[in-house]
Tab-separated table of all heavy atoms in Angstrom:
chain	number	residue	atom	x	y	z
A	1	SER	N	101.009	-107.857	72.076
A	1	SER	CA	102.050	-108.783	71.684
A	1	SER	C	101.639	-110.237	71.741
A	1	SER	O	102.288	-111.107	71.209
A	1	SER	CB	103.318	-108.557	72.526
A	1	SER	OG	103.084	-108.792	73.902
A	2	ARG	N	100.550	-110.499	72.514
A	2	ARG	CA	100.094	-111.849	72.660
A	2	ARG	C	99.002	-112.162	71.664
A	2	ARG	O	98.242	-113.161	71.777
A	2	ARG	CB	99.571	-112.089	74.070
A	2	ARG	CG	100.616	-111.699	75.205
A	2	ARG	CD	100.206	-112.239	76.476
A	2	ARG	NE	100.087	-113.678	76.476
A	2	ARG	CZ	101.130	-114.523	76.448
A	2	ARG	NH1	102.391	-114.028	76.431
A	2	ARG	NH2	100.928	-115.813	76.457
A	3	THR	N	98.746	-111.318	70.695
A	3	THR	CA	97.659	-111.395	69.751
A	3	THR	C	98.217	-111.710	68.356
A	3	THR	O	98.982	-110.905	67.802
A	3	THR	CB	96.880	-110.105	69.739
A	3	THR	OG1	96.478	-109.645	71.047
A	3	THR	CG2	95.599	-110.268	68.895
A	4	ASP	N	97.793	-112.842	67.769
A	4	ASP	CA	98.328	-113.176	66.428
A	4	ASP	C	97.496	-112.380	65.413
A	4	ASP	O	98.150	-111.820	64.450
A	4	ASP	CB	98.114	-114.601	66.205
A	4	ASP	CG	99.094	-115.496	67.030
A	4	ASP	OD1	100.285	-115.478	66.738
A	4	ASP	OD2	98.673	-116.088	68.094
A	5	LEU	N	96.204	-112.235	65.575
A	5	LEU	CA	95.373	-111.491	64.653
A	5	LEU	C	94.230	-110.808	65.390
A	5	LEU	O	93.649	-111.494	66.336
A	5	LEU	CB	94.858	-112.290	63.536
A	5	LEU	CG	95.826	-112.789	62.462
A	5	LEU	CD1	95.057	-113.675	61.465
A	5	LEU	CD2	96.458	-111.578	61.698
A	6	LEU	N	93.854	-109.632	65.039
A	6	LEU	CA	92.623	-109.018	65.480
A	6	LEU	C	91.592	-109.083	64.349
A	6	LEU	O	91.902	-108.611	63.205
A	6	LEU	CB	92.827	-107.531	65.889
A	6	LEU	CG	91.679	-106.722	66.509
A	6	LEU	CD1	92.164	-105.625	67.408
A	6	LEU	CD2	90.746	-106.148	65.387
A	7	ILE	N	90.423	-109.569	64.595
A	7	ILE	CA	89.413	-109.662	63.503
A	7	ILE	C	88.328	-108.600	63.812
A	7	ILE	O	87.686	-108.672	64.871
A	7	ILE	CB	88.813	-111.075	63.493
A	7	ILE	CG1	89.907	-112.106	63.337
A	7	ILE	CG2	87.781	-111.186	62.371
A	7	ILE	CD1	89.442	-113.550	63.597
A	8	ALA	N	88.097	-107.697	62.934
A	8	ALA	CA	87.178	-106.703	63.006
A	8	ALA	C	85.946	-107.073	62.203
A	8	ALA	O	86.104	-107.683	61.088
A	8	ALA	CB	87.641	-105.334	62.533
A	9	ASN	N	84.715	-106.810	62.688
A	9	ASN	CA	83.532	-107.100	61.896
A	9	ASN	C	83.116	-106.054	60.990
A	9	ASN	O	82.081	-106.143	60.291
A	9	ASN	CB	82.354	-107.548	62.816
A	9	ASN	CG	81.822	-106.375	63.612
A	9	ASN	OD1	82.500	-105.346	63.834
A	9	ASN	ND2	80.693	-106.543	64.261
A	10	SER	N	83.858	-104.980	60.873
A	10	SER	CA	83.593	-103.922	59.897
A	10	SER	C	84.888	-103.143	59.658
A	10	SER	O	85.812	-103.158	60.509
A	10	SER	CB	82.452	-102.952	60.361
A	10	SER	OG	82.935	-102.188	61.391
A	11	GLN	N	84.911	-102.470	58.577
A	11	GLN	CA	86.123	-101.633	58.274
A	11	GLN	C	86.276	-100.486	59.350
A	11	GLN	O	87.389	-100.076	59.693
A	11	GLN	CB	86.027	-101.021	56.841
A	11	GLN	CG	87.331	-100.320	56.434
A	11	GLN	CD	88.501	-101.151	56.406
A	11	GLN	OE1	88.522	-102.315	55.932
A	11	GLN	NE2	89.583	-100.714	57.037
A	12	SER	N	85.033	-100.007	59.805
A	12	SER	CA	85.139	-98.929	60.770
A	12	SER	C	85.772	-99.411	62.094
A	12	SER	O	86.564	-98.659	62.681
A	12	SER	CB	83.671	-98.524	61.125
A	12	SER	OG	83.033	-98.116	59.972
A	13	VAL	N	85.507	-100.688	62.461
A	13	VAL	CA	86.161	-101.232	63.701
A	13	VAL	C	87.620	-101.333	63.405
A	13	VAL	O	88.444	-101.121	64.263
A	13	VAL	CB	85.456	-102.582	64.049
A	13	VAL	CG1	86.235	-103.233	65.227
A	13	VAL	CG2	84.010	-102.348	64.503
A	14	SER	N	87.967	-101.853	62.262
A	14	SER	CA	89.382	-102.013	61.884
A	14	SER	C	90.139	-100.689	61.969
A	14	SER	O	91.192	-100.542	62.498
A	14	SER	CB	89.497	-102.621	60.476
A	14	SER	OG	90.885	-102.548	60.050
A	15	ASP	N	89.518	-99.604	61.422
A	15	ASP	CA	90.130	-98.279	61.444
A	15	ASP	C	90.292	-97.786	62.840
A	15	ASP	O	91.302	-97.128	63.248
A	15	ASP	CB	89.273	-97.343	60.618
A	15	ASP	CG	89.273	-97.671	59.115
A	15	ASP	OD1	90.222	-98.412	58.688
A	15	ASP	OD2	88.411	-97.146	58.388
A	16	PHE	N	89.253	-98.055	63.725
A	16	PHE	CA	89.312	-97.592	65.107
A	16	PHE	C	90.483	-98.169	65.858
A	16	PHE	O	91.284	-97.503	66.467
A	16	PHE	CB	87.994	-97.943	65.794
A	16	PHE	CG	87.980	-97.675	67.243
A	16	PHE	CD1	87.640	-96.394	67.678
A	16	PHE	CD2	88.255	-98.641	68.226
A	16	PHE	CE1	87.617	-96.080	69.050
A	16	PHE	CE2	88.254	-98.292	69.559
A	16	PHE	CZ	87.878	-97.081	69.961
A	17	TYR	N	90.704	-99.525	65.655
A	17	TYR	CA	91.820	-100.206	66.351
A	17	TYR	C	93.214	-99.844	65.780
A	17	TYR	O	94.162	-99.722	66.515
A	17	TYR	CB	91.562	-101.670	66.518
A	17	TYR	CG	90.614	-101.885	67.663
A	17	TYR	CD1	89.226	-102.008	67.534
A	17	TYR	CD2	91.064	-101.991	68.946
A	17	TYR	CE1	88.390	-102.158	68.554
A	17	TYR	CE2	90.202	-102.159	70.078
A	17	TYR	CZ	88.902	-102.280	69.853
A	17	TYR	OH	88.056	-102.377	70.897
A	18	SER	N	93.258	-99.745	64.453
A	18	SER	CA	94.546	-99.406	63.839
A	18	SER	C	94.934	-97.913	64.267
A	18	SER	O	96.129	-97.678	64.485
A	18	SER	CB	94.506	-99.587	62.340
A	18	SER	OG	93.609	-98.664	61.702
A	19	THR	N	93.967	-97.033	64.279
A	19	THR	CA	94.280	-95.684	64.713
A	19	THR	C	94.728	-95.625	66.177
A	19	THR	O	95.574	-94.856	66.548
A	19	THR	CB	93.027	-94.798	64.548
A	19	THR	OG1	92.590	-94.793	63.210
A	19	THR	CG2	93.297	-93.363	65.060
A	20	GLY	N	94.220	-96.628	66.971
A	20	GLY	CA	94.636	-96.748	68.349
A	20	GLY	C	95.932	-97.380	68.560
A	20	GLY	O	96.410	-97.516	69.698
A	21	GLY	N	96.609	-97.848	67.501
A	21	GLY	CA	97.916	-98.388	67.561
A	21	GLY	C	98.130	-99.845	67.287
A	21	GLY	O	99.198	-100.330	67.293
A	22	PHE	N	96.996	-100.552	67.103
A	22	PHE	CA	97.133	-101.990	66.813
A	22	PHE	C	97.720	-102.170	65.351
A	22	PHE	O	97.222	-101.439	64.418
A	22	PHE	CB	95.822	-102.734	66.872
A	22	PHE	CG	95.997	-104.202	67.002
A	22	PHE	CD1	96.007	-104.864	68.277
A	22	PHE	CD2	96.209	-104.982	65.872
A	22	PHE	CE1	96.153	-106.193	68.362
A	22	PHE	CE2	96.367	-106.377	66.001
A	22	PHE	CZ	96.340	-107.026	67.244
A	23	PRO	N	98.752	-102.952	65.228
A	23	PRO	CA	99.404	-103.048	63.825
A	23	PRO	C	98.393	-103.432	62.728
A	23	PRO	O	97.726	-104.393	62.893
A	23	PRO	CB	100.484	-104.120	64.054
A	23	PRO	CG	100.690	-104.151	65.518
A	23	PRO	CD	99.431	-103.820	66.175
A	24	LYS	N	98.435	-102.608	61.620
A	24	LYS	CA	97.496	-102.932	60.535
A	24	LYS	C	97.700	-104.330	59.934
A	24	LYS	O	96.721	-104.903	59.449
A	24	LYS	CB	97.594	-101.830	59.524
A	24	LYS	CG	97.078	-100.482	59.925
A	24	LYS	CD	97.153	-99.439	58.763
A	24	LYS	CE	96.492	-98.135	59.123
A	24	LYS	NZ	96.568	-97.159	58.051
A	25	ASP	N	98.972	-104.730	59.898
A	25	ASP	CA	99.195	-106.028	59.236
A	25	ASP	C	98.698	-107.192	60.001
A	25	ASP	O	98.755	-108.355	59.524
A	25	ASP	CB	100.686	-106.131	58.929
A	25	ASP	CG	101.591	-106.184	60.138
A	25	ASP	OD1	101.081	-105.850	61.252
A	25	ASP	OD2	102.808	-106.506	60.074
A	26	ARG	N	98.245	-106.909	61.261
A	26	ARG	CA	97.670	-108.004	62.006
A	26	ARG	C	96.163	-107.835	62.240
A	26	ARG	O	95.620	-108.333	63.268
A	26	ARG	CB	98.442	-108.158	63.358
A	26	ARG	CG	99.774	-108.786	63.194
A	26	ARG	CD	100.393	-109.245	64.551
A	26	ARG	NE	100.936	-108.141	65.228
A	26	ARG	CZ	100.822	-107.878	66.582
A	26	ARG	NH1	99.997	-108.677	67.302
A	26	ARG	NH2	101.371	-106.861	67.201
A	27	ILE	N	95.547	-107.034	61.405
A	27	ILE	CA	94.057	-106.812	61.477
A	27	ILE	C	93.454	-107.462	60.198
A	27	ILE	O	93.972	-107.192	59.085
A	27	ILE	CB	93.712	-105.324	61.620
A	27	ILE	CG1	94.292	-104.812	62.876
A	27	ILE	CG2	92.175	-105.199	61.615
A	27	ILE	CD1	93.993	-103.352	63.063
A	28	ARG	N	92.416	-108.201	60.330
A	28	ARG	CA	91.601	-108.647	59.182
A	28	ARG	C	90.078	-108.295	59.457
A	28	ARG	O	89.664	-108.172	60.557
A	28	ARG	CB	91.652	-110.237	59.086
A	28	ARG	CG	93.034	-110.770	58.991
A	28	ARG	CD	93.639	-110.456	57.588
A	28	ARG	NE	94.972	-111.119	57.438
A	28	ARG	CZ	96.133	-110.617	57.806
A	28	ARG	NH1	96.168	-109.453	58.515
A	28	ARG	NH2	97.183	-111.362	57.724
A	29	VAL	N	89.425	-108.040	58.360
A	29	VAL	CA	87.974	-107.695	58.468
A	29	VAL	C	87.148	-108.854	57.920
A	29	VAL	O	87.285	-109.301	56.785
A	29	VAL	CB	87.673	-106.406	57.576
A	29	VAL	CG1	86.200	-106.098	57.651
A	29	VAL	CG2	88.450	-105.191	58.123
A	30	ILE	N	86.275	-109.336	58.805
A	30	ILE	CA	85.312	-110.354	58.437
A	30	ILE	C	83.896	-109.836	58.855
A	30	ILE	O	83.632	-109.802	60.112
A	30	ILE	CB	85.596	-111.662	59.052
A	30	ILE	CG1	86.986	-112.253	58.572
A	30	ILE	CG2	84.481	-112.736	58.694
A	30	ILE	CD1	87.318	-113.617	59.166
A	31	PRO	N	83.066	-109.401	57.885
A	31	PRO	CA	81.793	-108.838	58.287
A	31	PRO	C	80.889	-109.872	58.945
A	31	PRO	O	81.061	-111.108	58.777
A	31	PRO	CB	81.164	-108.413	56.998
A	31	PRO	CG	82.321	-108.255	56.019
A	31	PRO	CD	83.262	-109.300	56.456
A	32	ASN	N	79.939	-109.416	59.752
A	32	ASN	CA	78.890	-110.319	60.244
A	32	ASN	C	78.201	-111.057	59.199
A	32	ASN	O	78.087	-110.572	58.040
A	32	ASN	CB	77.885	-109.538	61.135
A	32	ASN	CG	78.392	-109.047	62.400
A	32	ASN	OD1	79.585	-109.393	62.819
A	32	ASN	ND2	77.680	-108.230	63.137
A	33	GLY	N	77.636	-112.169	59.464
A	33	GLY	CA	76.731	-112.903	58.545
A	33	GLY	C	75.318	-112.778	59.070
A	33	GLY	O	75.059	-112.558	60.249
A	34	VAL	N	74.375	-112.891	58.174
A	34	VAL	CA	72.954	-112.773	58.593
A	34	VAL	C	72.102	-113.748	57.815
A	34	VAL	O	72.403	-114.091	56.663
A	34	VAL	CB	72.418	-111.315	58.404
A	34	VAL	CG1	72.381	-110.955	56.861
A	34	VAL	CG2	71.037	-111.171	59.000
A	35	ILE	N	71.107	-114.322	58.463
A	35	ILE	CA	70.068	-115.130	57.818
A	35	ILE	C	68.725	-114.517	58.102
A	35	ILE	O	68.517	-113.805	59.139
A	35	ILE	CB	70.056	-116.567	58.342
A	35	ILE	CG1	69.904	-116.586	59.853
A	35	ILE	CG2	71.240	-117.394	57.921
A	35	ILE	CD1	69.797	-118.004	60.416
A	36	SER	N	67.872	-114.549	57.073
A	36	SER	CA	66.602	-113.914	57.271
A	36	SER	C	65.820	-114.631	58.417
A	36	SER	O	65.791	-115.833	58.504
A	36	SER	CB	65.752	-114.117	55.975
A	36	SER	OG	64.483	-113.483	56.180
A	37	PRO	N	65.332	-113.813	59.396
A	37	PRO	CA	64.599	-114.371	60.487
A	37	PRO	C	63.454	-115.241	60.097
A	37	PRO	O	62.886	-114.990	59.024
A	37	PRO	CB	64.262	-113.177	61.316
A	37	PRO	CG	65.204	-112.112	60.955
A	37	PRO	CD	65.500	-112.339	59.526
A	38	SER	N	63.097	-116.214	60.922
A	38	SER	CA	61.944	-117.049	60.628
A	38	SER	C	60.631	-116.206	60.669
A	38	SER	O	60.650	-115.142	61.304
A	38	SER	CB	61.832	-118.211	61.606
A	38	SER	OG	61.676	-117.712	62.961
A	39	GLN	N	59.612	-116.659	60.002
A	39	GLN	CA	58.340	-115.969	60.018
A	39	GLN	C	57.689	-115.997	61.441
A	39	GLN	O	57.896	-116.900	62.177
A	39	GLN	CB	57.366	-116.563	59.047
A	39	GLN	CG	57.733	-116.382	57.580
A	39	GLN	CD	57.581	-114.968	57.151
A	39	GLN	OE1	56.746	-114.209	57.636
A	39	GLN	NE2	58.465	-114.524	56.164
A	40	PRO	N	57.036	-114.871	61.827
A	40	PRO	CA	56.474	-114.836	63.190
A	40	PRO	C	55.327	-115.793	63.295
A	40	PRO	O	54.642	-116.133	62.339
A	40	PRO	CB	56.083	-113.388	63.339
A	40	PRO	CG	55.767	-112.923	61.929
A	40	PRO	CD	56.821	-113.636	61.051
A	41	GLU	N	55.026	-116.196	64.521
A	41	GLU	CA	53.872	-117.041	64.796
A	41	GLU	C	52.552	-116.197	64.772
A	41	GLU	O	51.465	-116.761	64.547
A	41	GLU	CB	54.045	-117.765	66.175
A	41	GLU	CG	55.218	-118.711	66.176
A	41	GLU	CD	55.301	-119.443	67.529
A	41	GLU	OE1	54.492	-119.149	68.384
A	41	GLU	OE2	56.258	-120.254	67.646
A	42	LEU	N	52.666	-114.897	65.039
A	42	LEU	CA	51.581	-114.017	65.084
A	42	LEU	C	51.354	-113.360	63.686
A	42	LEU	O	52.293	-113.101	62.952
A	42	LEU	CB	51.737	-112.849	66.030
A	42	LEU	CG	51.929	-113.323	67.565
A	42	LEU	CD1	52.325	-112.089	68.343
A	42	LEU	CD2	50.591	-113.859	68.087
A	43	THR	N	50.084	-113.151	63.349
A	43	THR	CA	49.821	-112.275	62.199
A	43	THR	C	49.985	-110.805	62.611
A	43	THR	O	50.062	-110.527	63.865
A	43	THR	CB	48.391	-112.432	61.667
A	43	THR	OG1	47.489	-112.001	62.698
A	43	THR	CG2	48.131	-113.904	61.298
A	44	LYS	N	50.052	-109.864	61.680
A	44	LYS	CA	50.191	-108.487	62.104
A	44	LYS	C	48.951	-108.007	62.886
A	44	LYS	O	49.178	-107.329	63.884
A	44	LYS	CB	50.390	-107.594	60.827
A	44	LYS	CG	50.559	-106.173	61.266
A	44	LYS	CD	50.810	-105.233	60.016
A	44	LYS	CE	50.992	-103.726	60.439
A	44	LYS	NZ	51.268	-102.939	59.320
A	45	ALA	N	47.828	-108.418	62.527
A	45	ALA	CA	46.577	-108.098	63.261
A	45	ALA	C	46.614	-108.562	64.730
A	45	ALA	O	46.320	-107.894	65.729
A	45	ALA	CB	45.387	-108.619	62.550
A	46	GLU	N	47.126	-109.809	64.926
A	46	GLU	CA	47.207	-110.434	66.214
A	46	GLU	C	48.281	-109.680	67.015
A	46	GLU	O	48.065	-109.442	68.230
A	46	GLU	CB	47.558	-111.872	66.091
A	46	GLU	CG	46.415	-112.768	65.532
A	46	GLU	CD	46.876	-114.123	65.257
A	46	GLU	OE1	48.076	-114.410	65.012
A	46	GLU	OE2	46.001	-115.082	65.175
A	47	PHE	N	49.413	-109.383	66.362
A	47	PHE	CA	50.412	-108.626	67.101
A	47	PHE	C	49.939	-107.298	67.507
A	47	PHE	O	50.202	-106.845	68.755
A	47	PHE	CB	51.659	-108.606	66.268
A	47	PHE	CG	52.780	-107.743	66.843
A	47	PHE	CD1	53.371	-108.128	68.065
A	47	PHE	CD2	53.328	-106.710	66.166
A	47	PHE	CE1	54.356	-107.373	68.630
A	47	PHE	CE2	54.362	-105.891	66.673
A	47	PHE	CZ	54.846	-106.304	67.946
């Protein structure tokens, strides 16, 4: 009752919490974001 919105990072997480009783109309899904990691300092041979 003290929660305005629950933000799930996947639909699976949203389904888990709504199945557990959290009101669906107060759940939003925002997936994680990703950036390509920087290139390693080692070459494959060095690693």
